[in-house]
PDB file of all heavy atoms in Angstrom:
ATOM      1  N   GLN A 728      -5.720  99.642 173.673  1.00  0.00           N
ATOM      2  CA  GLN A 728      -4.795  98.647 173.146  1.00  0.00           C
ATOM      3  C   GLN A 728      -3.373  99.199 173.089  1.00  0.00           C
ATOM      4  O   GLN A 728      -2.415  98.496 173.430  1.00  0.00           O
ATOM      5  CB  GLN A 728      -5.234  98.201 171.743  1.00  0.00           C
ATOM      6  CG  GLN A 728      -6.468  97.335 171.753  1.00  0.00           C
ATOM      7  CD  GLN A 728      -6.901  96.978 170.344  1.00  0.00           C
ATOM      8  OE1 GLN A 728      -6.895  97.808 169.448  1.00  0.00           O
ATOM      9  NE2 GLN A 728      -7.279  95.730 170.152  1.00  0.00           N
ATOM     10  N   ILE A 729      -3.233 100.440 172.674  1.00  0.00           N
ATOM     11  CA  ILE A 729      -1.909 101.070 172.599  1.00  0.00           C
ATOM     12  C   ILE A 729      -1.289 101.158 173.995  1.00  0.00           C
ATOM     13  O   ILE A 729      -0.096 100.902 174.175  1.00  0.00           O
ATOM     14  CB  ILE A 729      -1.985 102.473 171.941  1.00  0.00           C
ATOM     15  CG1 ILE A 729      -2.345 102.347 170.458  1.00  0.00           C
ATOM     16  CG2 ILE A 729      -0.705 103.252 172.139  1.00  0.00           C
ATOM     17  CD1 ILE A 729      -1.251 101.798 169.581  1.00  0.00           C
ATOM     18  N   THR A 730      -2.096 101.486 174.990  1.00  0.00           N
ATOM     19  CA  THR A 730      -1.606 101.555 176.374  1.00  0.00           C
ATOM     20  C   THR A 730      -1.088 100.184 176.813  1.00  0.00           C
ATOM     21  O   THR A 730      -0.010 100.080 177.408  1.00  0.00           O
ATOM     22  CB  THR A 730      -2.726 102.032 177.318  1.00  0.00           C
ATOM     23  OG1 THR A 730      -3.195 103.312 176.867  1.00  0.00           O
ATOM     24  CG2 THR A 730      -2.245 102.134 178.747  1.00  0.00           C
ATOM     25  N   ASN A 731      -1.836  99.141 176.495  1.00  0.00           N
ATOM     26  CA  ASN A 731      -1.417  97.781 176.816  1.00  0.00           C
ATOM     27  C   ASN A 731      -0.116  97.434 176.093  1.00  0.00           C
ATOM     28  O   ASN A 731       0.803  96.872 176.688  1.00  0.00           O
ATOM     29  CB  ASN A 731      -2.535  96.814 176.422  1.00  0.00           C
ATOM     30  CG  ASN A 731      -2.176  95.363 176.674  1.00  0.00           C
ATOM     31  OD1 ASN A 731      -1.327  94.806 175.985  1.00  0.00           O
ATOM     32  ND2 ASN A 731      -2.833  94.773 177.644  1.00  0.00           N
ATOM     33  N   LEU A 732      -0.033  97.798 174.825  1.00  0.00           N
ATOM     34  CA  LEU A 732       1.161  97.486 174.041  1.00  0.00           C
ATOM     35  C   LEU A 732       2.380  98.274 174.525  1.00  0.00           C
ATOM     36  O   LEU A 732       3.501  97.776 174.468  1.00  0.00           O
ATOM     37  CB  LEU A 732       0.909  97.749 172.559  1.00  0.00           C
ATOM     38  CG  LEU A 732      -0.059  96.760 171.895  1.00  0.00           C
ATOM     39  CD1 LEU A 732      -0.418  97.226 170.493  1.00  0.00           C
ATOM     40  CD2 LEU A 732       0.519  95.368 171.866  1.00  0.00           C
ATOM     41  N   ARG A 733       2.151  99.493 175.008  1.00  0.00           N
ATOM     42  CA  ARG A 733       3.263 100.284 175.555  1.00  0.00           C
ATOM     43  C   ARG A 733       3.860  99.579 176.778  1.00  0.00           C
ATOM     44  O   ARG A 733       5.083  99.481 176.910  1.00  0.00           O
ATOM     45  CB  ARG A 733       2.798 101.686 175.936  1.00  0.00           C
ATOM     46  CG  ARG A 733       3.903 102.580 176.488  1.00  0.00           C
ATOM     47  CD  ARG A 733       3.375 103.928 176.957  1.00  0.00           C
ATOM     48  NE  ARG A 733       2.636 104.626 175.952  1.00  0.00           N
ATOM     49  CZ  ARG A 733       3.177 105.411 175.009  1.00  0.00           C
ATOM     50  NH1 ARG A 733       4.485 105.565 174.974  1.00  0.00           N
ATOM     51  NH2 ARG A 733       2.428 106.032 174.133  1.00  0.00           N
ATOM     52  N   LEU A 734       3.006  99.058 177.646  1.00  0.00           N
ATOM     53  CA  LEU A 734       3.489  98.313 178.812  1.00  0.00           C
ATOM     54  C   LEU A 734       4.263  97.074 178.363  1.00  0.00           C
ATOM     55  O   LEU A 734       5.359  96.803 178.855  1.00  0.00           O
ATOM     56  CB  LEU A 734       2.321  97.906 179.716  1.00  0.00           C
ATOM     57  CG  LEU A 734       2.665  96.978 180.889  1.00  0.00           C
ATOM     58  CD1 LEU A 734       3.679  97.613 181.828  1.00  0.00           C
ATOM     59  CD2 LEU A 734       1.404  96.577 181.633  1.00  0.00           C
ATOM     60  N   ARG A 735       3.704  96.341 177.406  1.00  0.00           N
ATOM     61  CA  ARG A 735       4.382  95.147 176.905  1.00  0.00           C
ATOM     62  C   ARG A 735       5.729  95.498 176.281  1.00  0.00           C
ATOM     63  O   ARG A 735       6.707  94.778 176.459  1.00  0.00           O
ATOM     64  CB  ARG A 735       3.494  94.426 175.890  1.00  0.00           C
ATOM     65  CG  ARG A 735       2.307  93.733 176.529  1.00  0.00           C
ATOM     66  CD  ARG A 735       1.476  92.985 175.530  1.00  0.00           C
ATOM     67  NE  ARG A 735       2.266  92.010 174.818  1.00  0.00           N
ATOM     68  CZ  ARG A 735       1.929  91.533 173.620  1.00  0.00           C
ATOM     69  NH1 ARG A 735       0.820  91.922 173.027  1.00  0.00           N
ATOM     70  NH2 ARG A 735       2.698  90.638 173.025  1.00  0.00           N
ATOM     71  N   LEU A 736       5.778  96.609 175.563  1.00  0.00           N
ATOM     72  CA  LEU A 736       7.030  97.046 174.936  1.00  0.00           C
ATOM     73  C   LEU A 736       8.098  97.334 175.993  1.00  0.00           C
ATOM     74  O   LEU A 736       9.251  96.927 175.853  1.00  0.00           O
ATOM     75  CB  LEU A 736       6.759  98.294 174.095  1.00  0.00           C
ATOM     76  CG  LEU A 736       7.693  98.643 172.974  1.00  0.00           C
ATOM     77  CD1 LEU A 736       7.788  97.508 171.974  1.00  0.00           C
ATOM     78  CD2 LEU A 736       7.201  99.901 172.277  1.00  0.00           C
ATOM     79  N   ASN A 737       7.697  97.999 177.065  1.00  0.00           N
ATOM     80  CA  ASN A 737       8.635  98.276 178.162  1.00  0.00           C
ATOM     81  C   ASN A 737       9.101  96.987 178.836  1.00  0.00           C
ATOM     82  O   ASN A 737      10.280  96.851 179.178  1.00  0.00           O
ATOM     83  CB  ASN A 737       7.996  99.206 179.197  1.00  0.00           C
ATOM     84  CG  ASN A 737       7.884 100.625 178.694  1.00  0.00           C
ATOM     85  OD1 ASN A 737       8.669 101.069 177.875  1.00  0.00           O
ATOM     86  ND2 ASN A 737       6.876 101.337 179.169  1.00  0.00           N
ATOM     87  N   LEU A 738       8.190  96.041 179.015  1.00  0.00           N
ATOM     88  CA  LEU A 738       8.573  94.767 179.626  1.00  0.00           C
ATOM     89  C   LEU A 738       9.554  94.008 178.728  1.00  0.00           C
ATOM     90  O   LEU A 738      10.544  93.447 179.211  1.00  0.00           O
ATOM     91  CB  LEU A 738       7.333  93.910 179.899  1.00  0.00           C
ATOM     92  CG  LEU A 738       6.409  94.412 181.001  1.00  0.00           C
ATOM     93  CD1 LEU A 738       5.152  93.552 181.076  1.00  0.00           C
ATOM     94  CD2 LEU A 738       7.115  94.440 182.334  1.00  0.00           C
ATOM     95  N   ILE A 739       9.288  94.007 177.428  1.00  0.00           N
ATOM     96  CA  ILE A 739      10.188  93.319 176.494  1.00  0.00           C
ATOM     97  C   ILE A 739      11.566  93.967 176.506  1.00  0.00           C
ATOM     98  O   ILE A 739      12.588  93.277 176.501  1.00  0.00           O
ATOM     99  CB  ILE A 739       9.584  93.285 175.076  1.00  0.00           C
ATOM    100  CG1 ILE A 739       8.344  92.387 175.053  1.00  0.00           C
ATOM    101  CG2 ILE A 739      10.606  92.800 174.052  1.00  0.00           C
ATOM    102  CD1 ILE A 739       7.515  92.488 173.789  1.00  0.00           C
ATOM    103  N   ARG A 740      11.588  95.299 176.560  1.00  0.00           N
ATOM    104  CA  ARG A 740      12.884  95.994 176.646  1.00  0.00           C
ATOM    105  C   ARG A 740      13.645  95.550 177.889  1.00  0.00           C
ATOM    106  O   ARG A 740      14.839  95.257 177.835  1.00  0.00           O
ATOM    107  CB  ARG A 740      12.671  97.507 176.669  1.00  0.00           C
ATOM    108  CG  ARG A 740      13.986  98.284 176.799  1.00  0.00           C
ATOM    109  CD  ARG A 740      13.808  99.683 177.313  1.00  0.00           C
ATOM    110  NE  ARG A 740      13.178  99.644 178.623  1.00  0.00           N
ATOM    111  CZ  ARG A 740      12.383 100.601 179.087  1.00  0.00           C
ATOM    112  NH1 ARG A 740      12.103 101.652 178.352  1.00  0.00           N
ATOM    113  NH2 ARG A 740      11.855 100.515 180.280  1.00  0.00           N
TER     114      ARG A 740
END
Side-chain angles (χ1 to χ4, degrees):
Q728 288 177 318
I729 292 288
T730 302
N731 178 290
L732 290 171
R733 181 185 305 275
L734 173 60
R735 288 182 57 203
L736 203 58
N737 287 332
L738 291 174
I739 292 169
R740 178 201 59 210

